[in-house]
Amino acid sequence: MTIQPKNLSDPVVRDFVTAVNQHDRDAFMALLTPDATMADDGADRDLDDWIDREIFQSHGHMEVDRESDGGHALIARYRNDTWGEMRTRWRFEVDESGKISRFETGQA
């Protein structure tokens, strides 16, 4: 059963999923620390290049199936125009200011 973004436990993760699904790059970037990092399938990636290619230019969309770790870990069906739909895992590190300092994704 899909968890609607508005029902996700952690507010910054909720806003992350909403920004992805609304294709709102400015809102997405506002959720990250200035030095935020990310990894895809265990390999660190260039954040700006990756989010443009995998989310914003390819119309990425997340449907969350499960959350754990206080809302900092998700299992979601992720789809975009490049890869179609796949089952993915997401993990978020949120700093004391309430911003995402790192996120990791990959196939689940």
Side-chain angles (χ1 to χ4, degrees):
M1 184 168 191
T2 301
I3 302 171
Q4 295 300 313
K6 68 182 180 182
N7 295 328
L8 292 170
S9 300
D10 186 271
V12 72
V13 173
R14 179 185 322 135
D15 291 347
F16 180 100
V17 172
T18 299
V20 168
N21 290 349
Q22 293 179 348
H23 309 116
D24 188 339
R25 191 181 194 283
D26 291 338
F28 181 95
M29 293 304 293
L31 301 169
L32 305 179
T33 63
D35 59 347
T37 60
M38 65 86 51
D40 184 4
D41 283 329
D44 279 9
R45 308 285 186 191
D46 177 273
L47 181 96
D48 287 322
D49 176 62
W50 190 90
I51 64 170
D52 284 340
R53 187 178 67 254
E54 299 292 336
I55 298 174
F56 297 106
Q57 294 169 0
S58 60
H59 307 104
H61 188 85
M62 297 174 74
E63 291 186 28
V64 179
D65 292 326
R66 191 169 74 233
E67 68 173 346
S68 58
D69 191 22
H72 290 165
L74 306 177
I75 297 294
R77 284 169 286 140
Y78 185 79
R79 68 178 180 267
N80 66 24
D81 293 346
T82 304
W83 305 108
E85 185 173 301
M86 64 189 83
R87 187 170 165 83
T88 57
R89 59 178 166 67
W90 298 76
R91 176 161 291 282
F92 301 89
E93 294 177 20
V94 179
D95 75 1
E96 63 280 348
S97 73
K99 294 200 179 258
I100 296 168
S101 58
R102 180 172 177 83
F103 68 92
E104 298 179 4
T105 188
Q107 292 196 46

